[in-house]
């Protein structure tokens, strides 16, 4: 009776005028579930609801998912495809067919969705959404859910290439039974994987607490030995090894990056701090591979410690991620401007997670500040006036203008890479850890590189060209973020379609309650030709004139 019930549940379906078949072939079912049989999602106008709801686990060795479909309508059937990934920093995808096209007439077609894991151990949820238009009023929507297991398999052979051959016959009753049993086994395996995930997350939570407990529980022996005069009440994060000399710093950095940059190496030597002088207090921001702490730094010879922010890589971060943290974190080193937040110090001691120190004087991340202005759990949200928005924009523009005068291009200007205090004083920061802390703002277009797609100028998107004019384009999006309180730009546009969307002349719409004069500045920044965009000197004149008009009647 039990196996009959399993078969009954498996074949429950609803009729739909789909006019096509869509299934997993014998070879694909055997590869994923280890069973012999086909698994039909759509068979001759019937959608298998049970099969659609089942989340198929994808083992680490499997890098491609194959689907087979057959057009039964006798005419091309238009379709669109979209892939949603829960953690784009850890997994990207690509299709060997177009995202928009037609199911061909005349036989079976097998196509593949390739999955590209990063160098980490993680489990990522993804869904493939397919819409097939049978007629103007009839669209069949399908969503395939998968759970991809990514592992850093350095010595394990990759998945062998397989040639998938369509089966000549349809699924027999016995084959359906075995597929049903396989789905039940896969469901049990998925539960087992969830238990493992819970254990890993619990372990990760304990690991996140350890640095803080260690920082609070250690004695001040390090400071006393070095003659700082700090009393026993002050505690610091104890290093595992003595503070590095200049040579040690250079050696450690060469191990972090196979292509060391001489200038970056010299910068690290100049501002290296002793790890034992830093105390971690609390976690401010946290991502998958990095964290931002609030802490204190007791500089040698100082009477009291100063408040700092500490950006650091997690223990399981790869060497390339650590090297990227250092490169991006030192981008503003040596600059001095009221609207810039440069790095204060760096430590790359051996066997310890490298970290970057920044001054902390009450500033908070601007994107989180804007979102809090929109949705606040601590009383009514704070409403920003147009005058305040323009004043914040003026400060940011002055900071970028200073960068350009120093012949530097920011390349990632956005609210997430700025800080603001309660008096609305703005400072621009580097983009170290931004991909990890704000993964929803970055997308990979199949080239294994996460980029802020919806902030990029058209030439940066197409050719990866970054100039002062591309910073101007990003500043226009930044202005739009200020006026919308950190609304997601182009929220309805697929990242893969952004280039064609911009080429066709589409831009962000004018926000509600945004004055025409301010929106005109944004639109001015989004000119298709880089030569037609204003410089930051011109932007400052426009914004200052508009600010003068606003204050004239206040």
């Amino acid at each position: 009776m039990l196996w009959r019930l399993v078969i009954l549940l498996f074949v429950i379906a609803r009729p739909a005028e789909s006019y096509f078949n869509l299934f997993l072939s014998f070879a694909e079912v055997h590869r994923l579930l280890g069973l012999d049989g086909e698994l039909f999602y759509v068979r001759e106008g019937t959608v298998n609801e049970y099969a659609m709801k089942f989340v198929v686990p994808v083992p680490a060795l499997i890098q491609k998912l194959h689907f087979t479909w057959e057009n039964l309508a006798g005419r091309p059937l238009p379709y669109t495809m979209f892939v949603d990934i829960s953690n784009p920093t850890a997994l990207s995808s690509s299709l060997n067919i177009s995202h928009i096209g037609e199911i061909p007439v005349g036989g079976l077609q097998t196509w593949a969705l390739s999955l590209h894991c990063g160098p980490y151990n993680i489990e990522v949820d993804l869904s493939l959404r397919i819409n097939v238009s049978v007629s103007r009023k009839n669209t069949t929507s399908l969503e395939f859910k998968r759970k991809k297991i990514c592992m850093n398999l350095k010595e394990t052979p990759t998945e062998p290439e397989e040639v998938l051959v369509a089966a000549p016959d349809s699924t027999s009753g016995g084959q359906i039974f075995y597929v049903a049993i396989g789905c039940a086994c896969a469901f049990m395996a998925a539960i087992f994987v969830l238990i493992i995930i819970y254990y890993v997350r619990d372990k990760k939570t304990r690991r996140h607490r350890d640095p803080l407990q260690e920082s609070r529980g250690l004695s001040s022996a390090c400071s006393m030995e070095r003659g700082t005069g700090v009393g026993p009440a002050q505690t610091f994060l104890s290093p595992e090894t003595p503070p590095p000399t200049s040579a040690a710093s250079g050696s450690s950095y060469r191990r972090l990056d196979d292509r060391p940059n001489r200038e970056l190496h010299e910068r690290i030597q100049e501002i290296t701090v002793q790890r034992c002088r830093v105390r971690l207090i609390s976690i401010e921001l946290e991502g998958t591979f990095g964290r931002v702490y609030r802490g204190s730094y007791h500089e040698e010879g100082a009477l009291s410690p100063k408040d700092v922010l500490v950006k650091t890589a997690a223990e399981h971060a790869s060497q390339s991620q650590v090297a990227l943290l250092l490169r991006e974190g030192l981008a503003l080193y040596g600059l001095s401007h009221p609207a810039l937040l440069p790095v204060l110090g760096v430590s790359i001691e051996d066997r310890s997670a490298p970290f970057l120190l920044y001054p902390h004087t009450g500033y908070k991340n601007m994107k989180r500040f804007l979102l809090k202005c929109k949705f606040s759990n601590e009383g009514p949200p704070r409403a920003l006036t147009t005058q305040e928005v323009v004043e914040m924009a003026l400060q940011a523009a002055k900071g970028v203008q200073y960068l350009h005068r120093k012949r530097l291009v920011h390349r990632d200007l956005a609210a997430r890479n700025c800080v603001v205090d309660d008096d609305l004083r703005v400072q621009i920061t580097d983009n170290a850890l931004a991909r990890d802390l704000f993964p929803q703002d970055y997308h990979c277009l199949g080239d294994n590189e996460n980029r802020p797609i919806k902030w990029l100028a058209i030439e940066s998107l197409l050719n990866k060209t970054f100039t002062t004019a591309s910073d101007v384009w990003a500043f226009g999006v930044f202005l739009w973020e200020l006026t919308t309180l950190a609304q997601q730009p182009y929220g309805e546009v697929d990242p893969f379609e952004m280039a064609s969307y911009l080429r066709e002349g589409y831009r962000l719409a004018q926000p509600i309650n945004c004055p025409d004069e301010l929106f005109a500045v944004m639109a001015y920044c989004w000119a298709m030709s880089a030569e037609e965009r204003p410089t930051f000197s011109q932007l400052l004149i426009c914004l200052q004139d508009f600010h003068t008009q606003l204050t004239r009647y206040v």
Side-chain angles (χ1 to χ4, degrees):
M1 294 297 295
L2 180 60
W3 66 268
R4 291 180 181 177
L5 179 60
V6 171
I7 292 178
L8 179 61
L9 289 173
F10 186 77
V11 298
I12 291 177
R14 63 171 171 81
E17 297 179 0
S18 303
Y19 301 108
F20 66 96
N21 290 332
L22 198 158
F23 60 95
L24 303 185
S25 66
F26 279 86
E28 184 69 3
V29 172
H30 182 79
R31 202 167 61 107
L32 284 174
L33 304 175
L35 301 173
D36 294 328
E38 294 176 332
L39 176 57
F40 271 81
Y41 291 103
V42 181
R43 183 205 290 269
E44 297 180 356
T46 300
V47 177
N48 190 328
E49 295 284 12
Y50 181 86
M52 294 300 304
K53 293 178 181 179
F54 180 68
V55 180
V56 179
V58 182
L61 289 179
I62 294 182
Q63 309 299 334
K64 289 184 179 181
L65 302 177
H66 300 87
F67 295 84
T68 303
W69 58 18
E70 182 182 15
N71 188 339
L72 305 177
R75 55 182 172 80
L77 297 177
Y79 72 84
T80 58
M81 289 189 188
F82 304 94
V83 180
D84 292 328
I85 298 177
S86 63
N87 190 345
T89 62
L91 180 70
S92 60
S93 65
S94 59
L95 287 161
N96 66 351
I97 60 173
S98 173
H99 286 265
I100 302 176
E102 296 178 339
I103 303 178
V105 179
L108 303 175
Q109 182 190 35
T110 298
W111 46 271
L113 172 65
S114 298
L115 305 176
H116 314 287
C117 285
Y120 0 90
N121 301 331
I122 195 171
E123 187 173 275
V124 183
D125 294 321
L126 66 101
S127 64
L128 171 64
R129 292 180 287 116
I130 303 178
N131 298 318
V132 180
S133 300
V134 177
S135 64
R136 293 182 179 180
K137 298 182 179 181
N138 187 354
T139 299
T140 299
S141 298
L142 307 170
E143 183 177 10
F144 304 90
K145 297 182 179 180
R146 300 292 185 262
K147 191 177 292 291
K148 178 70 175 99
I149 300 173
C150 291
M151 298 183 65
N152 190 6
L153 305 174
K154 293 182 178 179
E155 299 180 357
T156 305
T158 58
E159 174 194 16
E161 289 292 331
E162 297 186 28
V163 178
L164 302 182
V165 181
D169 301 320
S170 60
T171 310
S172 65
Q175 292 168 343
I176 293 178
F177 167 72
Y178 286 119
V179 171
I181 295 298
C183 290
C185 294
F187 178 75
M188 295 176 63
I191 294 178
F192 178 74
V193 170
L194 289 175
I195 295 175
I196 294 177
I197 294 174
Y198 174 80
Y199 171 77
V200 171
R201 287 181 177 176
D202 182 66
K203 184 177 180 182
K204 176 182 176 183
T205 302
R206 293 197 303 270
R207 184 170 64 243
H208 286 178
R209 292 196 297 264
D210 289 341
L212 299 181
Q213 294 170 351
E214 181 184 11
S215 175
R216 293 169 181 148
L218 292 174
S219 69
S220 56
C222 174
S223 58
M224 296 299 290
E225 288 176 3
R226 304 188 189 282
T228 59
V230 180
Q234 180 65 52
T235 59
F236 297 95
L237 181 63
S238 177
E240 297 181 357
T241 59
T245 62
S246 297
S249 299
S251 175
S252 177
Y253 182 70
R254 279 193 291 271
R255 285 194 294 273
L256 295 175
D257 189 356
D258 294 332
R259 296 172 296 177
N261 182 284
R262 182 181 300 275
E263 182 181 356
L264 182 60
H265 177 203
E266 294 173 353
R267 291 180 181 182
I268 292 176
Q269 287 183 312
E270 291 177 7
I271 58 174
T272 294
V273 300
Q274 296 174 348
R275 184 175 295 268
C276 61
R277 297 186 179 278
V278 180
R279 180 188 180 191
L280 304 181
I281 298 175
S282 62
I283 296 178
E284 294 289 300
L285 297 171
E286 183 175 10
T288 305
F289 305 104
R291 292 187 289 274
V292 179
Y293 291 92
R294 186 172 66 86
S296 62
Y297 169 56
H298 200 287
E299 195 171 3
E300 186 173 0
L303 296 178
S304 60
K306 62 176 66 174
D307 293 333
V308 294
L309 288 176
V310 182
K311 287 185 180 181
T312 183
E315 294 84 351
H316 56 279
S318 66
Q319 291 186 350
S320 61
Q321 289 167 334
V322 171
L324 185 63
L325 168 68
L326 293 174
R327 279 198 300 270
E328 294 180 339
L330 294 173
L332 304 182
Y333 165 71
L335 302 179
S336 179
H337 190 277
L340 295 181
L341 182 68
V343 67
L344 179 66
V346 61
S347 173
I348 53 171
E349 294 179 11
D350 290 341
R351 293 180 293 162
S352 302
F355 65 70
L356 299 167
L357 294 183
Y358 298 84
H360 179 50
T361 55
Y363 285 86
K364 55 185 73 70
N365 181 271
M366 179 181 283
K367 179 159 187 170
R368 290 177 177 260
F369 169 79
L370 293 173
L371 290 172
K372 191 175 180 180
C373 289
K374 183 187 298 185
F375 310 107
S376 177
N377 296 325
E378 305 171 359
R382 173 173 179 171
L384 293 178
T385 65
T386 301
Q387 181 177 335
E388 290 173 327
V389 168
V390 175
E391 289 171 352
M392 295 169 70
L394 277 169
Q395 296 177 66
K398 291 176 182 177
V400 184
Q401 181 191 46
Y402 173 80
L403 285 178
H404 290 180
R405 287 176 177 173
K406 295 292 183 179
R407 300 183 180 277
L408 293 174
V409 177
H410 191 283
R411 300 164 66 101
D412 196 0
L413 183 61
R416 61 183 171 272
N417 292 324
C418 294
V419 292
V420 61
D421 66 3
D422 292 334
D423 296 325
L424 300 184
R425 290 177 297 187
V426 176
Q427 286 185 318
I428 298 171
T429 71
D430 55 62
N431 63 332
L433 294 184
R435 296 175 186 82
D436 189 40
L437 300 176
F438 300 95
Q440 70 278 7
D441 291 352
Y442 294 84
H443 300 87
C444 179
L445 300 185
D447 54 3
N448 237 2
E449 179 184 354
N450 276 322
R451 293 180 287 160
I453 299 299
K454 298 185 178 181
W455 280 260
L456 292 183
I458 182 68
E459 68 272 10
S460 303
L461 192 56
L462 295 175
N463 308 317
K464 298 184 180 180
T465 301
F466 292 90
T467 63
T468 56
S470 61
D471 273 356
V472 170
W473 181 295
F475 182 77
V477 184
F478 168 77
L479 274 178
W480 190 87
E481 287 185 281
L482 287 178
T483 55
T484 61
L485 299 180
Q487 185 174 327
Q488 202 71 8
Y490 304 103
E492 74 287 355
V493 182
D494 187 278
F496 286 88
E497 305 299 327
M498 273 300 299
S500 59
Y501 188 84
L502 296 177
R503 269 198 303 253
E504 292 172 3
Y506 293 102
R507 297 293 186 270
L508 291 166
Q510 183 171 354
I512 299 175
N513 298 327
C514 175
D516 293 340
E517 295 87 347
L518 188 56
F519 184 68
V521 175
M522 301 180 201
Y524 196 17
C525 297
W526 300 327
M528 183 67 72
S529 172
E531 290 75 16
E532 296 177 0
R533 296 172 208 155
T535 64
F536 271 91
S537 298
Q538 293 170 322
L539 284 173
L540 281 169
I541 294 174
C542 294
L543 290 172
Q544 190 61 60
D545 289 345
F546 182 50
H547 184 265
T548 302
Q549 295 176 25
L550 291 173
T551 56
R552 184 176 299 166
Y553 305 102
V554 176

